[in-house]
Amino acid sequence: MNYASLGANDDKEKILHDEPEVLSKPRIFLLNLSWYGLSLMFLLLSVEVVPAQVHALVGDAAKGRWLGGMIAGGAAVTFFLSPCIGMASDRLTLQIGKRRPIMIFGTTGLCIGLIGMALSASHIKISDLVEHRCKPYYNGTTNLHTHRIHNGNPSSLLVSGSGNAVDLDPEPPGDLALYIIFYLLVTAMFATINVPYNALIADKSNSSQRGFNSGVMGCMILLGNVSGAAVGTCFTEIGVIGAYATAISVVIISVCVTVFTTTENPGKVVNEPVGCIAIFCGFWQPLKEHDFRWVFITRFLMQQGVSTVTGFLEYWVSDMIQLPFCWNAARTVAFILLPLLFSASVGSVIMGIVSDRIGKRKIIVIIAAVMMSISCTALTFVNGENAFWMAFIIAFFFGMGLGTFQSIDFALVMDVLPDEKDKAKDIAVWHQALVLPNAIATPTGGIILDYFESVDCTIGLGYIILFAVTAFYFLLSAIFVTKIKRAN
């Protein structure tokens, strides 16, 4: 084609739709590095730190309601904010680009929010050594020794032989209202980073590298989760301030590496105005497209299953298996997550490369969903003295399935994006398939668990039904992915 004959508008449209350059593998790793820091922060806070802070602020009787309410509130903020951030990113016309400036702004706000969360609820109660659990590790004449557990703030005292913690800290645990405000700020800023960041990766992904790029993204997410779980095993020692300091440091470093090693073209002018009607339609317009809708549903069901498993894993560990080495449930969960996330990280990169070479994505989703469904089914049979080691092995295979799905998750949506000029907004809508299950899975799973445990708690009927329903989520995801037409 003779480009000199193109008009100005045609030339602009051509540039807009130019295929991105093929990136070297090191550049792809640097592009995706921010996911490492963001994922470390997310897992460390959501699994270990935030539940402990909420527990200290509201007590045992109300911790579930307050934690669930905060998660639901954060999901609502993300739901309404994400498409707006996407539209703003698509319309930004700065010379340095339209994605990275918003990422920098979001990272700054995120760090402010994290500091606020740390300081508004820095005192927690640690009572993880229980006599009846640790008794087998002591002889009949030796009592549990009185000792302190340091949290980076005044300690809690575990009294010899009682199994109860006596709080020696006379200071109030924190300010609940201020903590919630900063939590919602962190949630909003997390979305402010994620939306343009996903679009940046899509902008820089050549069609021949989408699978590899998606696999590296999944690997970074899962490696961040592994690191978050590893830091979580030391939460008792480093305390609230240490946990937040770790998260902030890693996020700043990883985001800065991505921002300053990635180049962008100046943002193009988008003439369509942004109004209330455009924002409202922004939620639903992409879902009218057939393939995008089924990609959304497939990911929603997959994430619904993942959120259900991870949301109730600590309760299952506490209620259904014998904890090893005098660990508490939180530490046991952290160790179970390590093989899961390690196998997922390895599987993500390998299957990302495979999907590019064979040109098939749907079959990979089906394999991943079946592996995860079988793993959840196997959990219903786990009990007895060796339950921990059985769960350890099952977690490895579940992680392989999770990594397999992560390897092509983002590549699949890039294959079916309905509107190039609104890429960030459409990805923000797709991102709701990750956010909404986090708000839906816990209440739904809690109702299932509580009802069926009341029917027969001796066999753990609530957990049996809960994991069976989770396995069904994964199977539905495998079935619905076959309805996507524009992906092989």
Side-chain angles (χ1 to χ4, degrees):
M1 178 181 291
N2 182 5
Y3 288 99
S5 65
L6 293 174
N9 291 336
D10 292 333
D11 187 56
K12 184 181 294 186
E13 191 71 9
K14 175 63 183 175
I15 293 173
L16 186 67
H17 288 85
D18 272 347
E19 179 79 359
E21 64 174 317
V22 175
L23 300 179
S24 65
K25 288 181 173 60
R27 288 182 65 187
I28 290 177
F29 276 98
L30 294 175
L31 174 64
N32 287 278
L33 185 63
S34 291
W35 279 121
Y36 174 81
L38 294 170
S39 300
L40 182 150
M41 180 209 77
F42 183 83
L43 187 133
L44 176 61
L45 266 60
S46 62
V47 173
E48 295 281 351
V49 183
V50 172
Q53 289 179 294
V54 172
H55 181 200
L57 287 169
V58 303
D60 283 309
K63 63 182 180 182
R65 295 193 299 273
W66 279 98
L67 182 60
M70 285 173 52
I71 293 173
V77 169
T78 303
F79 179 80
F80 289 106
L81 181 64
S82 293
C84 300
I85 295 295
M87 291 180 186
S89 177
D90 287 328
R91 287 159 174 77
L92 201 62
T93 58
L94 297 178
Q95 285 296 115
I96 62 173
K98 57 184 180 180
R99 315 297 187 195
R100 295 178 299 159
I102 299 179
M103 290 177 62
I104 294 172
F105 171 79
T107 302
T108 303
L110 180 72
C111 292
I112 293 172
L114 291 174
I115 293 171
M117 287 180 67
L119 298 180
S120 60
S122 60
H123 301 282
I124 60 171
K125 298 177 182 178
I126 301 294
S127 56
D128 66 335
L129 195 60
V130 182
E131 182 181 7
H132 76 274
R133 183 179 300 150
C134 297
K135 189 174 181 179
Y137 297 89
Y138 297 88
N139 60 44
T141 60
T142 304
N143 292 323
L144 301 183
H145 298 291
T146 299
H147 64 287
R148 292 179 182 271
I149 299 178
H150 296 283
N151 310 301
N153 41 252
S155 303
S156 298
L157 179 64
L158 300 185
V159 179
S160 172
S162 68
N164 297 317
V166 178
D167 189 11
L168 294 183
D169 185 5
E171 300 182 46
D175 188 320
L176 178 61
L178 198 59
Y179 181 77
I180 293 174
I181 290 172
F182 282 117
Y183 174 83
L184 295 177
L185 175 62
V186 166
T187 303
M189 291 299 103
F190 192 69
T192 303
I193 301 171
N194 284 348
V195 170
Y197 185 32
N198 279 321
L200 177 65
I201 294 174
D203 290 342
K204 306 296 289 185
S205 294
N206 186 277
S207 59
S208 65
Q209 295 180 308
R210 287 176 179 172
F212 180 70
N213 219 331
S214 182
V216 173
M217 177 195 289
C219 179
M220 289 297 176
I221 291 172
L222 295 163
L223 282 175
N225 289 338
V226 170
S227 301
V231 175
T233 63
C234 306
F235 178 45
T236 301
E237 288 73 28
I238 65 176
V240 171
I241 302 299
Y244 276 98
T246 301
I248 291 171
S249 301
V250 176
V251 166
I252 290 176
I253 293 172
S254 61
V255 172
C256 285
V257 169
T258 294
V259 166
F260 292 112
T261 60
T262 304
T263 59
E264 281 190 272
N265 294 323
K268 305 296 180 180
V269 176
V270 178
N271 294 321
E272 295 180 10
V274 178
C276 294
I277 295 177
I279 293 174
F280 179 79
C281 293
F283 290 101
W284 316 114
Q285 194 67 34
L287 296 175
K288 293 180 180 180
E289 205 279 328
H290 177 274
D291 284 348
F292 188 88
R293 181 170 64 252
W294 285 110
V295 168
F296 182 94
I297 294 173
T298 297
R299 194 198 196 194
F300 180 93
L301 288 168
M302 186 71 72
Q303 188 60 39
Q304 183 79 356
V306 172
S307 296
T308 302
V309 171
T310 56
F312 293 95
L313 188 60
E314 183 171 332
Y315 291 165
W316 176 75
V317 165
S318 178
D319 293 343
M320 297 301 296
I321 72 174
Q322 182 175 327
L323 305 185
F325 313 121
C326 200
W327 289 345
N328 64 3
R331 176 162 291 186
T332 304
V333 167
F335 274 91
I336 289 176
L337 287 175
L338 292 177
L340 186 158
L341 297 171
F342 174 78
S343 63
S345 302
V346 174
S348 179
V349 172
I350 293 174
M351 296 307 296
I353 297 173
V354 170
S355 73
D356 278 337
R357 291 188 176 180
I358 68 176
K360 305 289 184 182
R361 309 216 198 273
K362 292 191 288 188
I363 186 62
I364 295 178
V365 173
I366 293 172
I367 292 172
V370 171
M371 289 179 66
M372 296 165 79
S373 181
I374 292 174
S375 298
C376 287
T377 303
L379 284 178
T380 64
F381 299 99
V382 172
N383 56 64
E385 294 183 359
N386 297 318
F388 169 77
W389 302 109
M390 295 169 64
F392 206 76
I393 295 171
I394 292 171
F396 179 87
F397 288 101
F398 184 91
M400 287 295 294
L402 179 60
T404 299
F405 175 74
Q406 291 274 21
S407 69
I408 54 88
D409 183 25
F410 197 66
L412 199 61
V413 74
M414 285 191 287
D415 288 343
V416 303
L417 280 175
D419 196 341
E420 180 72 18
K421 73 178 185 301
D422 282 329
K423 184 183 294 183
K425 182 263 293 179
D426 294 339
I427 290 177
V429 173
W430 165 77
H431 187 65
Q432 303 306 313
L434 173 64
V435 174
L436 293 178
N438 291 333
I440 296 172
T442 302
T444 303
I447 293 171
I448 293 172
L449 178 63
D450 289 345
Y451 175 76
F452 287 101
E453 280 292 277
S454 68
V455 173
D456 190 349
C457 63
T458 58
I459 63 170
L461 182 61
Y463 293 102
I464 293 174
I465 301 299
L466 183 68
F467 289 135
V469 170
T470 304
F472 184 65
Y473 290 149
F474 293 132
L475 286 180
L476 283 180
S477 180
I479 293 171
F480 290 152
V481 75
T482 61
K483 294 183 175 293
I484 302 172
K485 296 178 180 178
R486 282 193 289 150
N488 294 322

